[in-house]
Amino acid sequence: MRWILALVVLLLAGADELAAQSKGKGIRLWNLTTSTISGFQLSPAGKDAWGPNLTLNDKDKEVDHDERLRITGVEPGRYDAKVSYPDARQCLVRDIEIKADAVFSIADKDLKDCNK
């Protein structure tokens, strides 16, 4: 009886792991800047065709330092990003490579063309 119970537990654990792998974790932004991000928009690299503010998908509508934000509705590829901060400062990050089910990061050294 114990042997059967152990086998069932192992099969269930394997099925859970397989389901998690097939779902993937999606694309995520990792905020490595020293500030909280209040706006994050993507555009295909070089196009200046900015999409929606993706921070609105976060529960508190901001991405704190060292927090990750799930990015939805974006296909893998190369993008420019417009990064906004609560103090109204905006910066650009050019030519980010976004891969499926992967984390990409933004750090202070990546920020260009900041205003304010």
Side-chain angles (χ1 to χ4, degrees), residues 83-109:
V83 182
S84 304
Y85 294 95
D87 65 0
R89 179 174 61 122
Q90 283 191 335
C91 300
L92 298 177
V93 180
R94 299 281 184 193
D95 202 30
I96 301 167
E97 183 177 7
I98 295 180
K99 297 179 182 178
D101 294 326
V103 176
F104 67 95
S105 62
I106 302 292
D108 288 337
K109 66 179 179 54

Side-chain angles (χ1 to χ4, degrees), residues 69-83:
L69 172 69
R70 183 174 302 281
I71 302 295
T72 58
V74 174
E75 294 294 320
R78 298 199 86 74
Y79 292 88
D80 294 335
K82 188 183 295 185
V83 182

Side-chain angles (χ1 to χ4, degrees), residues 28-31 58 63-70 103:
R28 293 165 323 279
L29 160 68
W30 187 7
N31 179 13
D58 189 68
V63 185
D64 297 325
H65 165 74
D66 200 30
E67 182 181 358
R68 289 170 183 83
L69 172 69
R70 183 174 302 281
V103 176

Side-chain angles (χ1 to χ4, degrees), residues 44-57:
K47 301 282 186 187
D48 288 334
W50 302 107
N53 179 1
L54 297 171
T55 63
L56 298 178
N57 296 331

Side-chain angles (χ1 to χ4, degrees), residues 21-51:
Q21 287 176 358
S22 68
K23 287 181 187 175
K25 294 190 183 237
I27 298 169
R28 293 165 323 279
L29 160 68
W30 187 7
N31 179 13
L32 294 178
T33 68
T34 54
S35 300
T36 296
I37 294 174
S38 60
F40 187 80
Q41 297 172 272
L42 291 171
S43 169
K47 301 282 186 187
D48 288 334
W50 302 107

